[in-house]
Structure formats: C-alpha cells, structure tokens
Amino acid sequence: MDWIDPNVTTSDPEPRLSGTVRGESEKAQTEAERDARPTPQFLTASLDFPNLLAHYQQALKSLDWPQGSSLKKSFHWSALTASQTEILARVGFSATKDSNKKLSKGDVLNKADFSKVAHAWLTEVEESPVAALGVVALVWQLPTLQHENWVATWIQALTDRIVASDIKLEEIFIRLTLHCEIPLLLTWLNHAPTAQQANDFMDQMPAKQAMDDLAEYLEMAVDDPSSWLQDGASFLRASLASVLRCRILADALGLNDWFSPQKKALRSLLIQAARWCRPDGTQLLADTQSAPRSQAIWDALADAAQNSKKLKATMALAGVGQESRASTKADFPADKLPALCQHSEFAACAVFQSDWKRKGCHMALDFSKSNMRIEVLGAKGLPILSGSWDISAKVRGRNLTQAGQWQESCWFSDDDVDYLEFEVRFGNQFRVQRQLILFREDRLLYLADSLNADRESSLALSSSIPLATHTQFAPEQKSTEGYLIGPSHQGLVLPLFLPEWRQQLTINGSKDKIANTDGMLVAHSEARARRLYNPVVISLRNSHAEKNYTWRHLTVADQLRIVEKEEAQAFRFQIGSEQWFVYRNLDRPIRRTALSFHLLDDFYAGRFDAEDGELDAIVQVEAPN
C-alpha cells in the first residue's frame, strides 16, 4: 500500500499488500513473512535522547487532533478495568472533569520504583495487553521524564524489542502498539515539525510499514473480529483509540488517507464497540464506574471510518452517537440494523440483546479464563448481574478443584433465543456443565449448572451468580422464589430446582436453597447421587413480577418406570398466561416421556401457544451419539 504522500519524493518499492488496494489477486502473506520485519534505520541508530526530548513537547503540540478530542481523552476512553486505570495514573494521565471515575491516585511511585515498573512492562509487553498499554502511554509521556537517566536506555531497549518482536496474531492491541503506533510516533519525533518536507525514503519506511500493518489488522476484523474481542472485549476501545492516534500521526507525516477496505473494517469495529456498550456509553464487563463516554472520540473514529447511515443509527441506539435515540428509533428500519448478538468461540466471549431499539435485556459473557464473567442489564439498561459467575463443587464434604477453563460445547441463536452450553472438569471423575439461555422475546434468562460424577456419592453444588452493585435478592417468606430489586428493576427469580413451597423443604429435611450471600445469588443443592442440576429463571421484564406465576417439577418416565432426578428432569413454569416447558437429560440418551411428550433430546425448551395449547420448540439440543 502506498501510504506516502505523493508530494514527498521517494523511490517507491513494490507495495506490500498492493492487491488489497489496487484489486490485484494476491495471496495473503504467511505469519512468518508478515513478522519478518526489516530493521528500520531510525530504530537501530543511536538515539540523541536529549535532543529528542528537546523538541518532543513542541511536536506533540503541533499534532492536529479532531475537535473536542485529545491525547488524554483517547487514553481515558481506553481505561475500562482497575488495572488499566491504575497504569494511566502511574504514567501521569490525570483525571478529567468529564470522567465517570477519577483515576486512581493510589500507589504513587517514587522515581526508583517507577523505573522498575517501566522495565517490567517492557519485559512483558509481547505477552500482556496491560503492559502494552503502560508502554505506549509512557512513550507519549516521555517529556515528563526528561531528567531521568534510565529513560534513554529504556527507549533503546524498546526499539530493540520492536524490531525483534514475536507477537501472537490474536494479540491485536499489542501488535497495534509495537507494530503501528510507536513506530509512527517515533518517526514523527524524528521529523517534527517538518515532516511534510522529509525526502529520505528510509526514514519514512517505518511509517509506511506501520500503516501497512494497521491496514492488515483492520481488514482482519471484517470477516472475523475475534482477535479484537479478546478478554471479553476488554481492549477493544484501547485498540480503537490506538487506531485513532495512528491516524492522527499518519496525517501529520503526510501519509495518505485509508482506502475503502480499511474504512469498512473500522465501521464494523465501531459497530462491535457499540454492541458492547451500556446505555450510558460505558462498556459491558468493565468496571461499573469506568471510562467516560468521550463523545468526541466516538465522533472522530466515525468520521475516520466515513460514517454511514447504518453506523450512525447503531451508535445512536447504543447511546454513543450524535443523532438522538428517539429519532433513530422512529426513522431507521430495524431490519437494516446489525445482528442482535455477537459470539466468538475463538475469543471466548459473547454479547446478546433483545432489541437495538429498546433498553434492557442486554447481556455480555467472557469465558476466556477459568472464572467466567457475566453482565446482564435489566430495565432502563442498568446492570442487575455483574461479575464473576463462580461455582463450588464438593464430594463427601471435600472441595473439588477446577481443572482448566470453560470449554464451549454448544451454541445456537435465532430470532427467539440465544443458547450457550459449556463444560469444565473438576479432577478426573467430575465435570460441570453450564447452560445459559436468553429467551429474547420473552425477556427471560435461564441459568443452570449440573455436576456429573462417575459414581454415586455425597455431592454438593453451589452456583454463585454475581449481583450488580445496588441489586439485592428479596426472597418470599412462604415460597422459595424471590425478586432481584435494583434502582429501576424488580425481576422475578424462579429457582426451578427447588419445590415451590418452603414447607416442602422442611418436611424433606433438604438443605437445598437459593439465597443472597456476600453479593452473590447462590443456588445450592446437595444429595447422595451421581448428578445434581440447579436451573434458575430470571425475568428481565418488570411486569412479570406483577403477574401470577408458578412452576412444577414434572414426572419423567422411561417406559413404565419413573426415572430418578439424577437421570433426567423436567419442569413447567408459568408467568401470567404464558407457559414454558423444559427438559434436561443428565444420563445416557434414551427416549423418555414428560408431560405426555416423548423426548430423545439432551435438552429441550418450548413455549405453549396461548391459543391452541400446542408446544412450540424454542431450543432442541440433540443427545450426543
């Protein structure tokens, strides 16, 4: 790609990805070819560090930022987690008045400690996005450290690491940092403030290559955005902020504008970022008091992407656009909006919603680590569940240790429902299966864990569903259901694994329960068995709590034999005039009967038609062979 301004005299070699721009048929380079990076002259030369810092501040002042945006705002917009926020505070980015959260002022480091932290980031930069954020933020803040004697050595070590970097393809933010933003910034510092007049092609080569890399990383996102959504999209905004800073540096260096493929890719990434938004403009799965909305950054990115009607509408409905949400709801056709869900098995995350045009019923999930994270928005788009969805399993009173992280085993989505199923091992003889279902039209959430053992034993299973700040579980006194109560939400909770009346638990001497424990909604069951199953239904619609409701455990039969709960379970639950039926196989797959229905599925969920009483299937998961 020829990113150099045609007014700058160069001896232009063969473009690296010319087929992308000029329409030629060209095979994508292999990873090894892409990472065989030439050694830029300015990166390996001895740096005249005092002279570099002498004009650094002036160079930064001469950069042309879009109206309302700034370097500081771009980094504040990136800060989503406590660790990211802390890094920016350490580097020196102070909070702004429009921040939703003041950056941490704790852990203020003395000069010696800061040197250690900076070198630690450099050591980890190829593996850790958090370290990469610290490194790139520090490079932008170098003028504040011009009297530190360790900085020149650190910069030289950084440039050596950039040349020799070996980064996994999925670590997009790290690649953007080391391959694109820092080379562009250092190129700018070597030429500022007369970059437009540069005529040495070798000095411009790092910037040209950086823009080639950036174009490639952007275009990867069109067909598969997984690499941009790692860690529950925790660094999606940081990556987009880096893209914006790269564009500003490229403009300052006189490099050409993006071509259509890169603008299309940027639009698709902005739609992803909008999909991961809460209505207040902050990001799902991030700290509840996280980075500011920073409308100017959204607008600058949208302008760089050549804003389309679809992007404008999506951003407006997500609460981060210039247009009003009300006018967009009325004017933009729903069938032209992006898909309601985004799921990536590779990035191990998913985001669902019931409707672009209505707040609430929005959910995000990150299962990339051993502890699964979940956030669910209720009425008016405020969180009702938020945090780590934990699990505790015991056998004969002994805690079992989780072995590895969750593995996705089933995924299904259509107009009615989003369904995800996972599995994780606990030792060699036990495994936990987890189900998550969003009934989109009904605005119901179905969460269930099952503990499976090889042989009968005394088992205990506790599923700890995280409650959001200011959300409480209020149990009924005589029955076992309850309500999730928040500032704008009163959601019904039906613990299907429990009997409806508390008296039945007392009579049976059962220790099964659902309760609020340390900010978690804990569904607990125990028995001498081979299987335990804890399904819970949570309503995301306030009106459900005002209607009559009930649920029943159904008899499941194998020919003339009533099967045990450890083999299969079935439930019927009703809210108002609507009724649903759920069946779960927990043992070997054989044909069984529940509520006069013959079932061979591993899992089945259906809704009864209110007019003719027929059962309409919503989810059917075939039993494994």
Side-chain angles (χ1 to χ4, degrees):
M1 297 175 183
D2 189 358
W3 296 108
I4 306 302
D5 191 312
N7 295 322
V8 177
T9 303
T10 65
S11 55
D12 192 359
E14 182 64 24
R16 227 171 130 244
L17 289 176
S18 58
T20 306
V21 175
R22 298 170 185 165
E24 298 174 5
S25 174
E26 179 175 282
K27 293 184 178 179
Q29 290 179 310
T30 64
E31 178 119 0
E33 290 172 330
R34 180 169 52 245
D35 288 338
R37 309 175 62 77
T39 304
Q41 180 179 336
F42 86 96
L43 287 180
T44 55
S46 296
L47 292 171
D48 182 5
F49 191 72
N51 183 59
L52 181 70
L53 289 181
H55 71 248
Y56 196 158
Q57 199 72 31
Q58 183 64 31
L60 293 182
K61 290 180 180 179
S62 65
L63 286 175
D64 186 16
W65 288 86
Q67 184 177 5
S69 63
S70 66
L71 173 66
K72 180 188 291 188
K73 285 187 177 181
S74 75
F75 275 102
H76 285 171
W77 189 70
S78 303
L80 302 172
T81 66
S83 60
Q84 291 173 249
T85 301
E86 182 181 328
I87 278 185
L88 297 187
R90 288 185 176 192
V91 169
F93 284 98
S94 59
T96 56
K97 292 181 180 180
D98 61 341
S99 297
N100 290 342
K101 174 183 178 181
K102 291 184 178 179
L103 295 177
S104 171
K105 295 183 179 179
D107 299 324
V108 176
L109 302 177
N110 60 41
K111 294 179 180 180
D113 287 339
F114 190 80
S115 171
K116 293 178 182 178
V117 171
H119 281 89
W121 288 340
L122 196 55
T123 302
E124 302 167 2
V125 70
E126 293 178 38
E127 301 292 336
S128 167
V130 171
L133 180 67
V135 167
V136 72
L138 182 55
V139 174
W140 280 97
Q141 293 285 84
L142 282 177
T144 64
L145 301 169
Q146 56 184 308
H147 300 299
E148 302 299 324
N149 55 17
W150 59 267
V151 177
T153 305
W154 186 86
I155 282 287
Q156 186 64 63
L158 170 61
T159 57
D160 292 341
R161 188 167 290 274
I162 289 174
V163 172
S165 62
D166 181 19
I167 308 166
K168 296 178 181 178
L169 185 61
E170 61 267 23
E171 296 290 359
I172 279 293
F173 178 67
I174 301 176
R175 283 176 170 256
L176 287 169
T177 297
L178 297 188
H179 292 179
C180 305
E181 185 173 354
I182 293 177
L184 283 167
L185 178 56
L186 294 181
T187 304
W188 168 241
L189 294 179
N190 275 326
H191 291 295
T194 59
Q196 295 283 351
Q197 301 170 9
N199 57 13
D200 184 348
F201 178 77
M202 287 307 297
D203 282 343
Q204 291 283 354
M205 186 62 188
K208 179 179 184 297
Q209 182 170 319
M211 291 301 286
D212 279 349
D213 288 339
L214 178 56
E216 185 175 353
Y217 301 154
L218 282 170
E219 291 177 35
M220 286 167 49
V222 176
D223 295 325
D224 183 8
S226 297
S227 55
W228 293 75
L229 301 176
Q230 298 293 314
D231 299 312
S234 292
F235 285 86
L236 176 57
R237 289 195 184 184
S239 299
L240 287 170
S242 179
V243 169
L244 176 62
R245 293 191 294 269
C246 287
R247 182 67 262 169
I248 290 168
L249 288 165
D251 290 342
L253 285 165
L255 305 186
N256 285 337
D257 194 6
W258 280 314
F259 298 96
S260 295
Q262 293 93 55
K263 292 181 179 180
K264 176 183 177 182
L266 184 54
R267 288 196 296 271
S268 70
L269 286 170
L270 282 171
I271 287 174
Q272 289 290 350
R275 185 182 275 118
W276 283 85
C277 272
R278 305 184 186 111
D280 66 357
T282 57
Q283 181 163 323
L284 290 162
L285 294 182
D287 295 343
T288 52
Q289 294 179 331
S290 62
R293 186 189 302 250
S294 293
Q295 187 62 52
I297 302 296
W298 285 104
D299 295 343
L301 283 164
D303 290 342
Q306 202 171 25
N307 213 343
S308 65
K309 290 183 179 179
K310 181 178 180 179
L311 178 58
K312 288 180 180 178
T314 303
M315 291 176 62
L317 292 172
V320 293
Q322 294 175 323
E323 297 183 3
S324 74
R325 184 182 182 96
S327 62
T328 306
K329 286 172 64 176
D331 298 340
F332 200 84
D335 59 352
K336 301 295 183 181
L337 290 168
L340 291 171
C341 69
Q342 173 65 45
H343 159 264
S344 173
E345 183 177 4
F346 180 77
C349 66
V351 59
F352 312 136
Q353 57 185 329
S354 61
D355 193 333
W356 276 105
K357 296 193 174 187
R358 289 185 292 175
K359 295 180 181 180
C361 201
H362 200 160
M363 187 194 75
L365 191 72
D366 173 23
F367 49 98
S368 60
K369 303 291 190 300
S370 58
N371 57 323
M372 186 179 293
R373 292 189 300 146
I374 187 173
E375 180 170 345
V376 178
L377 306 184
K380 297 186 179 180
L382 296 178
I384 58 171
L385 304 180
S386 182
S388 178
W389 182 6
D390 298 329
I391 194 163
S392 171
K394 293 183 180 181
V395 56
R396 296 186 297 277
R398 177 174 58 87
N399 286 317
L400 299 175
T401 302
Q402 182 174 329
Q405 62 192 57
W406 293 93
Q407 300 296 319
E408 180 183 319
S409 55
C410 186
W411 151 253
F412 172 77
S413 180
D414 64 10
D415 292 341
D416 293 323
V417 70
D418 294 301
Y419 177 89
L420 270 168
E421 187 172 327
F422 309 93
E423 185 171 307
V424 68
R425 303 291 305 188
F426 276 76
N428 296 324
Q429 300 178 333
F430 306 91
R431 59 192 172 93
V432 169
Q433 291 178 317
R434 170 167 286 178
Q435 295 169 287
L436 183 151
I437 311 173
L438 176 64
F439 295 93
R440 190 175 293 120
E441 182 181 343
D442 302 321
R443 298 207 168 200
L444 295 174
L445 189 63
Y446 185 96
L447 306 177
D449 284 329
S450 63
L451 174 61
N452 307 295
D454 291 344
R455 60 175 64 93
E456 183 178 295
S457 188
S458 296
L459 303 178
L461 176 65
S462 293
S463 303
S464 299
I465 304 167
L467 300 178
T469 306
H470 307 307
T471 298
Q472 296 292 326
F473 175 66
E476 286 283 13
Q477 296 300 312
K478 295 184 178 181
S479 50
T480 56
E481 76 274 11
Y483 306 90
L484 290 185
I485 300 177
S488 64
H489 184 81
Q490 183 171 336
L492 181 63
V493 178
L494 301 180
L496 300 187
F497 70 101
L498 298 176
E500 187 171 8
W501 301 101
R502 292 187 180 276
Q503 187 177 12
Q504 294 173 267
L505 291 172
T506 304
I507 292 173
N508 297 331
S510 174
K511 297 182 179 179
D512 297 354
K513 62 180 180 179
I514 187 166
N516 186 349
T517 304
D518 297 327
M520 308 288 279
L521 180 62
V522 179
H524 175 84
S525 64
E526 53 185 272
R528 183 167 184 82
R530 291 184 301 122
R531 308 280 193 274
L532 295 176
Y533 186 51
N534 292 1
V536 176
V537 172
I538 299 175
S539 169
L540 305 179
R541 179 178 285 158
N542 285 352
S543 61
H544 282 160
E546 301 170 359
K547 298 180 179 180
N548 294 325
Y549 51 85
T550 187
W551 75 97
R552 292 288 184 274
H553 293 204
L554 301 176
T555 299
V556 181
D558 170 14
Q559 295 183 7
L560 298 178
R561 179 181 68 89
I562 297 177
V563 306
E564 300 292 335
K565 291 176 63 176
E566 64 181 25
E567 298 177 65
Q569 295 185 36
F571 312 91
R572 177 179 66 85
F573 62 97
Q574 180 175 353
I575 303 175
S577 61
E578 299 289 331
Q579 295 189 57
W580 295 265
F581 168 78
V582 175
Y583 168 82
R584 174 63 166 167
N585 169 50
L586 298 170
D587 202 357
R588 60 190 179 91
I590 60 174
R591 189 175 297 279
R592 299 186 181 92
T593 303
L595 205 65
S596 301
F597 296 103
H598 298 283
L599 302 158
L600 190 56
D601 302 293
D602 203 47
F603 180 78
Y604 180 99
R607 182 195 304 109
F608 287 96
D609 189 294
E611 295 183 359
D612 58 21
E614 293 292 324
L615 182 63
D616 298 324
I618 300 176
V619 180
Q620 282 184 272
V621 180
E622 295 181 358
N625 295 326

